[in-house]
Amino acid sequence: MQKIKVLVVGSGCREHAIVRSLLEDQNISAIYTLPERISLKDTIDIPSALLNDFEALADYLKKENIELVVIGPEKVLVEGLADVLRNREIGVFGPCSKSAQLEGSKIFAKEFMKAEGIPTASYHIVSSVSEVLHASENFFPPYVLKADGLAGGKGVFICHNRLELEEKSQFLFDKKALGSAGEKALLEDFQKGQELSVFVITDGDFYQFLPVAQDYKRLYEGQKGPNTGGMGAIAPVSISSELLKAIEDKIVKPTLEGLKKRDCVYRGVLYLGLMIHKNFPKVLEYNVRFGDPEAQVLLPLLEGSWLDVFYKIAQAKKLNLNWKKKYSVSVVLCAENYPEGPLNSVPIEGLIYAQKDHSWFVHGSLTRREDQWFTQGGRVLNSVAIGDNKKQAVQRAYQHIKGVSWKGMRYRKDIGQS
Ligand code: GLY
């Protein structure tokens, strides 16, 4: 393979983890990032404005001879970035915009699952407070109300009674707090059980599983407090071969068949948010990209080259994934008042580039003015560690945190312990 240039799109910890997985690759001559990321070393920034004009971005990539693009976040996938680049014969790891509707529209995803017989909670489509209250007569509390569109992790409401349901419906439909993402919504049955994040790498035909991961979504220890984008993750999580087979037969295969029937081009990673109850899996949600913080724990577990994986999937070539017999853990370090309204511009003290063979930081929402680093958003850094067993990986991830601090920095102390 000739040395190539690669672009990683996206600005979070997940995308830094992707960059990190490519850094040592002898077959890469340069890694580019978009939007600009001042906290990363060893990468070349592409002007952020090009994210607003995909054709101009394709011109830039052609001119710079950048052959492969790995897309991290869902928004640009829904907007059709992969389609534009693929039309210009640039290799892309990321699905087409029609496939991305699986994440971009919760209603599309439910109708897709219904048509393909894929297990998920029963639902009703709603677009006003009165419709919600009327439909709720056929559901039992707790009620689940989900905004249809992309809402950056803020569009799902678990309501314990009708009063709460009414308030959240007013928030969506009367106050229009989520804008067009909340013009329509789903009222769903609540699903209980164990939540798992299952990923397959696929070119739409061929697929392979990644290790199963667990995301810690709630803000506080013991799965308490509000939902967040994710406060930590561990992998692998062991599941029975029967359950894996059920996930493959009842969910993965019919999903890929359903996409093919609809002429979708799915070359990337498909992320199934599942609820397992009595060993039976149901889909909570589809995502059309790596999870964040799950990517941070999955990427270091590959035995081999991620460039090879991204490149082959972009070319729709088969591959064989092998995994290290190790455990990895990611602990998310958040700004004060995350997720409500994270405090920006708080000075960060310590070694944000601290790195050992078995533990390191990945960078998300932070910025620099002169020689000082500041918080700039909710999920600022992740401490990631790998170990021979879960306990060792957990210890290393928490030990590594000791190198940094800022006023109001918070993180969960129980990642990997439940
Ligand atoms: N870990 C949740 C997400 O990536 O959406």
Side-chain angles (χ1 to χ4, degrees), residues 215 217 229 271 287 289-294:
D215 178 16
K217 285 214 167 72
Y271 161 2
N287 294 301
R289 35 80 192 172
F290 276 116
D292 184 347
E294 291 96 324

Side-chain angles (χ1 to χ4, degrees), residues 14 74 103 153 197 199 215-217 228-232 271 285 287 289-294 379:
R14 166 183 52 205
E74 61 277 12
E103 179 165 3
S197 303
F199 296 84
D215 178 16
Y216 291 72
K217 285 214 167 72
T228 68
M231 295 296 291
Y271 161 2
E285 63 177 11
N287 294 301
R289 35 80 192 172
F290 276 116
D292 184 347
E294 291 96 324
R379 293 190 290 175

Side-chain angles (χ1 to χ4, degrees), residues 74 102-106 109-110 113 118-121 146-147 149-150 152-156 186 188 191 195-199 215 217 227-229 251 255 270-275 282-289 291-292 294:
E74 61 277 12
L102 284 179
E103 179 165 3
S105 166
K106 302 271 183 287
K110 278 289 190 189
M113 286 187 269
I118 295 167
T120 186
K146 281 187 184 168
L150 292 180
K154 296 194 173 132
V156 179
L186 294 170
E188 278 189 34
Q191 301 184 65
E195 230 177 301
L196 287 182
S197 303
V198 172
F199 296 84
D215 178 16
K217 285 214 167 72
N227 261 326
T228 68
I251 299 170
T255 300
L270 175 67
Y271 161 2
L272 307 164
L274 303 179
M275 188 61 86
K282 282 189 181 178
V283 176
L284 283 176
E285 63 177 11
Y286 285 109
N287 294 301
V288 295
R289 35 80 192 172
D292 184 347
E294 291 96 324

Side-chain angles (χ1 to χ4, degrees), residues 20 29 45-46 76 84 126 128 212 220 244 287 304 326 334 349 398 416:
R20 204 181 165 279
S29 60
D45 286 332
I46 291 184
V76 285
V84 171
V126 286
S128 68
V212 176
Y220 302 126
L244 192 64
N287 294 301
K326 301 263 184 193
C334 302
E349 306 305 332
Y398 280 106

Side-chain angles (χ1 to χ4, degrees), residues 145-174:
L145 188 66
K146 281 187 184 168
D148 178 45
L150 292 180
K154 296 194 173 132
V156 179
F157 307 98
I158 315 277
C159 308
H160 294 92
N161 51 51
R162 272 173 57 100
L163 191 62
E164 254 184 65
L165 181 63
E166 188 170 1
E167 274 170 23
K168 297 302 179 198
S169 311
Q170 286 165 346
F171 178 78
L172 280 188
F173 301 125
D174 294 346

Side-chain angles (χ1 to χ4, degrees), residues 54-55 58 79-90 92:
F54 296 162
E55 290 293 347
E79 290 168 352
L81 177 57
D83 312 56
V84 171
L85 299 184
R86 227 171 252 128
N87 278 341
R88 300 285 297 275
E89 296 180 350
I90 297 165
V92 186

